[in-house]
C-alpha cells in the first residue's frame, strides 16, 4: 500500500497574505501534514470575481522562503497562462528557494473569464490538452538538458537554456489535475507523479482510476507509480464530514489528500484537522 499523505490548500482569494502565511507556518510545524497548496488564478473563482486574488507563483515563492519542511505547489498551474519555457524558469526558481520541496502542479487551463478579460487565448479542449502534453515534454527537457530544441505542433524552442537545474533530480514531481478521459488522463499516464481528482463522488473517482489504468497500460506504465489525489473541502463546523470523505476515498485507493481551507481560518484549524481528520 502506498503511503498516505495529507496537505492543505489556501486558495489566495478573498484572503490576505498574512492570514495564509500563518496557516502555512502552522502546517509546516505539524508533522501530520506533508504538503501545502495555492491555486493559479487572476480573479476569484466559484465566488464573486470582484474580491482580492493574489498571484499564485509569486506567493508560492514567498511561502517557499517562509517554510522549511512541507512540500509546496500550485493546485494547479494553468498551462495557457505562460509559455512552458517561462514556467520552467519560474518553477526552478521556486524549487531552489524551497531547497527541493516543489511539486509542479499543472493542468490545461479552463477559466473563460480570465482568458477573455485578459486577451489570453483559450483554445478548444482538445488543443489545450495537446498543448499540455507538449508543455510537459518541454519542461522536462529544459530541466535535464543543457540545450533544448523542440519542434512541436504548438511550441518551438531553439537551443533554449535553463540554468540552474532544479534541486530535485531529474525534476520535481509533476502533479496533473483534470479528468478528461480520452486525452487528459493519457497525459497523466505519460507525465504525472500525482493525479488530482478535484471533486466529485467516490464512484466517479473509481471509474476515472479505471480509465487511467488503461492509459497507463497503453504507454507501458504501472499505475502504482502514480499517487491518486483528491481535494476535500473543509466545513469548520463539521470536521467529521472531511473525516468521512477521507476514509471513503482511502478505501477507494486514494493516497494523497488536500484539505481546502477558506478564509477566515480558525486559529486552531491545523491542530484540529490533525487530531480530528488526519488522526
Amino acid at each position: 500500500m502506498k503511503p498516505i499523505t495529507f496537505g492543505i490548500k489556501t486558495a489566495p482569494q478573498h484572503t490576505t497574505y498574512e492570514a495564509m502565511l500563518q496557516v502555512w507556518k502552522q502546517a509546516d510545524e505539524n508533522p501530520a501534514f506533508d504538503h501545502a497548496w495555492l491555486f493559479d488564478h487572476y480573479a476569484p473563482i466559484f465566488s464573486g470575481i470582484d474580491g482580492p486574488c493574489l498571484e499564485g507563483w509569486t506567493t508560492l515563492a514567498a511561502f517557499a522562503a517562509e517554510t522549511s519542511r512541507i512540500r509546496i505547489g500550485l493546485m494547479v498551474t494553468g498551462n495557457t497562462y505562460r509559455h512552458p519555457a517561462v514556467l520552467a524558469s519560474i518553477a526552478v526558481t521556486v524549487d531552489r528557494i524551497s531547497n527541493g520541496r516543489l511539486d509542479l502542479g499543472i493542468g490545461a487551463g479552463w477559466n473563460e473569464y480570465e482568458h477573455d478579460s485578459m486577451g489570453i487565448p483559450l483554445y478548444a479542449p482538445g488543443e489545450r490538452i495537446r498543448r499540455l502534453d507538449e508543455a510537459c515534454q518541454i519542461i522536462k527537457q529544459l530541466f535535464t538538458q543543457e540545450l533544448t530544441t523542440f519542434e512541436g505542433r504548438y511550441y518551438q524552442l531553439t537551443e533554449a537554456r535553463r540554468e540552474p537545474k532544479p534541486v530535485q533530480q531529474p525534476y520535481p514531481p509533476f502533479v496533473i489535475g483534470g479528468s478528461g478521459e480520452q486525452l487528459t488522463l493519457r497525459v497523466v499516464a505519460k507525465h504525472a507523479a500525482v493525479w488530482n481528482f478535484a471533486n466529485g463522488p467516490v464512484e466517479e473517482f473509481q471509474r476515472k482510476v479505471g480509465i487511467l489504468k488503461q492509459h497507463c497500460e497503453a504507454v507501458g506504465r504501472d499505475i502504482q507509480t502514480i499517487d491518486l489525489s483528491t481535494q476535500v473541502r473543509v466545513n469548520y463546523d463539521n470536521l467529521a464530514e472531511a473525516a468521512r470523505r477521507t476514509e471513503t476515498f482511502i478505501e477507494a485507493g486514494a493516497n494523497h489528500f488536500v484539505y481546502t481551507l477558506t478564509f477566515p481560518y480558525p486559529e486552531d484549524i491545523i491542530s484540529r484537522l490533525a487530531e480530528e481528520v488526519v488522526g
Side-chain angles (χ1 to χ4, degrees):
M1 187 175 179
K2 290 183 287 190
I4 299 173
T5 66
F6 303 95
I8 59 153
K9 177 181 175 182
T10 57
Q13 62 178 18
H14 305 302
T15 185
T16 67
Y17 172 84
E18 292 79 11
M20 289 190 295
L21 179 59
Q22 182 178 9
V23 172
W24 277 55
K25 284 186 170 182
Q26 291 173 0
D28 192 45
E29 295 167 358
N30 193 313
F33 296 97
D34 305 284
H35 36 88
W37 305 85
L38 301 170
F39 74 14
D40 188 30
H41 289 283
Y42 294 99
I45 60 172
F46 308 132
S47 61
I49 62 174
D50 294 332
C53 186
L54 296 176
E55 200 279 326
W57 275 104
T58 47
T59 306
L60 189 67
F63 286 178
E66 293 281 358
T67 55
S68 61
R69 183 188 61 84
I70 50 172
R71 298 192 62 79
I72 62 173
L74 298 190
M75 187 66 74
V76 290
T77 305
N79 180 57
T80 47
Y81 296 137
R82 306 165 189 85
H83 189 285
V86 173
L87 177 59
S89 181
I90 295 169
V92 165
T93 302
V94 175
D95 192 58
R96 286 272 165 179
I97 293 170
S98 68
N99 194 29
R101 291 183 288 120
L102 175 69
D103 286 338
L104 180 49
I106 191 167
W110 60 271
N111 189 287
E112 293 184 15
Y113 166 75
E114 290 175 330
H115 290 79
D116 290 346
S117 65
M118 296 189 293
I120 299 172
L122 182 65
Y123 310 99
E127 179 174 342
R128 269 180 264 162
I129 305 306
R130 290 189 292 269
R131 284 177 175 270
L132 174 62
D133 187 17
E134 286 193 10
C136 290
Q137 295 177 57
I138 288 169
I139 294 168
K140 287 181 176 180
Q141 289 181 32
L142 286 167
F143 284 170
T144 57
Q145 299 176 177
E146 182 180 355
L147 297 175
T148 294
T149 295
F150 186 88
E151 287 292 337
R153 181 174 176 181
Y154 306 107
Y155 303 109
Q156 295 79 40
L157 280 71
T158 303
E159 296 189 354
R161 290 172 167 81
R162 175 55 267 159
E163 297 295 341
K165 301 301 184 193
V167 172
Q168 300 177 84
Q169 292 296 313
Y171 39 75
F174 279 56
V175 180
I176 298 182
S179 298
E181 297 176 7
Q182 294 184 356
L183 296 177
T184 303
L185 291 180
R186 186 172 180 85
V187 174
V188 171
K190 291 171 64 177
H191 299 292
V194 181
W195 168 60
N196 182 255
F197 175 78
N199 199 8
V202 69
E203 295 80 10
E204 184 71 357
F205 169 78
Q206 290 174 306
R207 193 177 69 81
K208 299 287 187 180
V209 170
I211 296 169
L212 176 59
K213 187 171 187 282
Q214 294 174 8
H215 284 299
C216 286
E217 291 169 352
V219 301
R221 187 172 181 194
D222 184 352
I223 193 173
Q224 292 300 316
T225 63
I226 300 176
D227 288 331
L228 304 177
S229 173
T230 189
Q231 299 181 49
V232 180
R233 184 167 291 277
V234 175
N235 177 354
Y236 300 138
D237 296 323
N238 188 355
L239 294 189
E241 290 178 354
R244 285 194 296 269
R245 186 169 176 85
T246 301
E247 292 171 3
T248 300
F249 272 79
I250 288 175
E251 292 173 0
N255 70 306
H256 183 281
F257 291 87
V258 179
Y259 297 108
T260 301
L261 309 179
T262 54
F263 182 78
Y265 317 111
E267 233 177 86
D268 60 348
I269 189 56
I270 294 300
S271 60
R272 286 179 59 202
L273 279 174
E275 295 168 7
E276 300 176 40
V277 180
V278 175

